[in-house]
Amino acid sequence: NSNISYCYNAAYVNGCTTGGIVGTMKNSTIKNCFNEGNVEGGGYAPAGGILGSGNGWVMNDYNRGNITNSGTNTQAGGIVGENESGSIAISNCYNTGSVKSREAGGIVGSLSSTTTMTSTINCCYNIGSISGESYTGNLAGYISTVKILYSYATQRPLYRQYDSDMSQITSVSIKSSSEMKSLSNLSGFSSSDWGIDSSINNGYPYLKSLEDTYKTYKVTVIEDVNDSAAINRSFANIDGMLFSN
């Protein structure tokens, strides 16, 4: 069991069971992380922008990299490739990168549930292009007995369902690009978690926890590295950052 938080990747990643942040995990959490590098899978294994395969919780994450999986009978998702050996809860996540695989989804490539816990997609959206040979969807590719709530995409289909149970799919719909740029059109999206700003994420909803954390600051260079007081003054506008020698 692990908790992975405040991590990011901008590099190209390839291999089997591949993720921009984590390849595989069990009963763990990935929170407040993002990927901007391209991810490529192969063989019979899945690939995801955040997580390749696993179970647990994936929340407050986003992917902007392109995800491809050229292997046989494979899955790829903008956030998660597939869940394995247990259910997974995906919440407050978004994808803007393209996804291409046999089974491909904007948020998750393949998603199913266990007898004790239902896998969920909650308050997520996708605006990336999705292409595949079998089960493909702009939110999820292959799904079976899962719950999808308050999640949106700009194109159809939203998901490809293995079974016929629609009772656990609520407030899931297509939105135009202009509709996606207003939280008032996205039922379930809380203004405490999500923000809208024309200068951030091309005007689409962004995660406040990440945009407020990963910022670029202009810092004055101090020639005397032993002068910790001067260095601390130059970092005064960055919460929690202090220098000691």
Side-chain angles (χ1 to χ4, degrees), residues 47-50 62-63 65 67 76-80 94-95 97 99 105-109:
I50 299 298
Y62 73 76
N63 172 66
I67 315 301
I79 301 299
V80 176
Y94 71 87
N95 173 66
V99 181
I107 301 300
V108 59

Side-chain angles (χ1 to χ4, degrees), residues 152 173 175-176 178-188:
Y152 309 94
S173 63
K175 299 291 183 182
S176 68
S178 59
E179 288 175 328
M180 289 282 263
K181 294 181 179 182
S182 173
L183 289 184
S184 63
N185 296 319
L186 306 177
S187 178

Side-chain angles (χ1 to χ4, degrees), residues 159-230:
Y159 49 83
R160 295 293 191 184
Q161 191 156 355
Y162 178 74
D163 53 45
S164 58
D165 181 11
M166 304 287 288
S167 63
Q168 299 192 90
I169 298 176
T170 304
S171 296
V172 175
S173 63
I174 301 293
K175 299 291 183 182
S176 68
S177 293
S178 59
E179 288 175 328
M180 289 282 263
K181 294 181 179 182
S182 173
L183 289 184
S184 63
N185 296 319
L186 306 177
S187 178
F189 277 44
S190 169
S191 59
S192 62
D193 296 319
W194 297 90
I196 295 284
D197 188 315
S198 60
S199 65
I200 299 175
N201 198 30
N202 293 319
Y204 290 96
Y206 68 88
L207 290 164
K208 289 184 174 180
S209 61
L210 292 179
E211 294 298 336
D212 290 344
T213 300
Y214 299 104
K215 293 182 178 179
T216 301
Y217 293 92
K218 182 178 179 180
V219 178
T220 303
V221 175
I222 307 299
E223 292 185 4
D224 183 359
V225 296
N226 293 314
D227 189 354
S228 60

